Amino acid sequence: MKIYCSGIGGIGLSAYAALQSAKGHEVLGSDRELTPLTQDLEGQGIRVFDVQDGFCIPDDIDLLVYSEAIPEDAPERVRAKELGVLQQSYFEALGNLGSEFKTVIAVCGTHGKSTTTAMAAKLLVDAGLDPTVVVGTKVPQLDGRNWRKGSGELFLVEACE
């Protein structure tokens, strides 16, 4: 599948993009500015554009995943609509990704989500359960990244309010 992520530089969408790329999907995307997070994505083979005018979206994408900060009338979403491409918010796409796993553990709340998710990830990894993880911060125990591709049946995700 070819996935375009609008707002790819966000902490959640960047993890989703990297995980989908690690799963073998072709992923590319855009954000208003390039950051160390987007540079890391590029180092993983994900093409990142620093313009969001719609012209960077190829004709052959299968899915556009957008940050909640990207309104419906944004040029990239308009372009995807013109192409007849399925569009999902980051939260919808993350939910669909979770449906591929036998067990999903979602950490939610107003404070401590990232810390709790990171600690749970370490425990699950150390227990040999090999989870897939999406967390809202870079975690030293995840090689300094905000995601991990596991081969187990568990999906651990930091869920927003």
Side-chain angles (χ1 to χ4, degrees), residues 14-161:
S14 64
Y16 171 86
L19 182 56
Q20 290 292 50
S21 178
K23 289 178 59 180
H25 298 289
E26 184 178 349
V27 180
L28 62 160
S30 66
D31 212 294
R32 289 180 295 187
E33 59 185 66
L34 301 180
T35 66
L37 198 54
T38 59
Q39 290 169 348
D40 183 43
L41 291 172
E42 288 180 320
Q44 295 172 59
I46 297 171
R47 182 127 188 238
V48 179
F49 304 97
D50 63 354
V51 294
Q52 294 182 298
D53 57 11
F55 291 108
C56 297
I57 295 181
D59 293 342
D60 62 344
I61 64 166
D62 300 300
L63 173 65
L64 178 120
V65 179
Y66 58 90
S67 160
E68 293 294 321
I70 308 295
E72 190 174 345
D73 62 351
E76 289 182 328
R77 293 198 56 200
V78 169
R79 167 93 169 119
K81 185 175 182 179
E82 290 169 354
L83 293 171
V85 172
L86 175 64
Q87 296 185 47
Q88 293 179 339
S89 71
Y90 161 68
F91 301 111
E92 291 172 309
L94 192 62
N96 287 336
L97 181 60
S99 70
E100 299 173 14
F101 295 87
K102 183 175 180 182
T103 304
V104 177
I105 301 170
V107 178
C108 60
T110 55
H111 299 291
K113 295 183 300 293
S114 297
T115 301
T116 302
T117 304
M119 290 187 323
K122 172 121 175 68
L123 289 170
L124 294 170
V125 169
D126 289 352
L129 297 173
D130 199 17
T132 295
V133 179
V134 171
V135 61
T137 191
K138 293 180 181 180
V139 179
Q141 293 80 5
L142 300 180
D143 297 325
R145 293 199 166 134
N146 55 344
W147 65 279
R148 178 185 192 277
K149 181 186 176 293
S151 60
E153 298 177 339
L154 289 173
F155 183 45
L156 174 64
V157 61
E158 179 177 335
C160 293
E161 302 80 286

